[in-house]
Amino acid sequence: MKNPRLYLRQILEAADFILETAHSLQDLQSSKLIRDAVIRNFEVMGEATKRLSPAFRVQHPQIPWRSLAGFRDVLIHDYDEVAIEVVWDVIQNSLPMVRLEVARLLEYGSDLG
């Protein structure tokens, strides 16, 4: 198993990209390039989450690991049914907290190896 720090950095970088790229719902609706880039970065976040050990995820319940991994699965497998408004809602209401908690773990986490 690789060092969790690697996967946390991937999650943080993807979250930063999304927050810096998607400025509005209109951005997502009007630009396929932005929409695809944002969705791809959510997929990276979910995949990196899945690569963290179950024990690590249990030790850090402040981050909604199951939701991150589940959102990735929905975006990949049910891509034709995902409303862009749902993606925007996640960006607005969940992603800033996830980003903050992952950044805190990277900065202060003593169990990261």
Side-chain angles (χ1 to χ4, degrees):
M1 169 89 29
K2 291 188 179 176
N3 187 319
R5 195 172 289 279
L6 169 71
Y7 302 120
L8 292 171
R9 273 196 219 106
Q10 290 173 352
I11 293 167
L12 184 63
E13 288 172 9
D16 284 344
F17 176 87
I18 294 166
L19 292 168
E20 292 167 6
T21 304
H23 300 116
S24 69
L25 176 58
Q26 185 182 7
D27 284 349
L28 294 172
Q29 291 171 327
S30 64
S31 173
K32 182 174 177 8
L33 184 65
I34 291 174
R35 185 171 54 253
D36 287 354
V38 164
I39 289 171
R40 170 70 178 132
N41 276 272
F42 272 119
E43 292 168 354
V44 167
M45 290 176 70
E47 188 61 29
T49 294
K50 289 180 173 199
R51 293 180 183 199
L52 290 165
S53 73
F56 181 86
R57 293 192 306 257
V58 168
Q59 288 174 323
H60 303 284
Q62 71 276 22
I63 298 173
W65 305 114
R66 185 181 299 264
S67 295
L68 287 171
F71 194 49
R72 171 240 181 242
D73 292 344
V74 168
L75 291 172
I76 287 178
H77 300 295
D78 297 324
Y79 61 89
D80 56 338
E81 297 177 15
V82 176
I84 204 62
E85 293 83 5
V86 171
V87 175
W88 179 244
D89 183 65
V90 171
I91 292 169
Q92 288 292 106
N93 297 309
S94 301
L95 191 57
M97 182 279 300
V98 168
R99 191 232 169 265
L100 178 65
E101 292 297 335
V102 169
R104 282 183 184 156
L105 261 181
L106 280 167
E107 187 169 348
Y108 302 111
S110 59
D111 61 340
L112 299 182

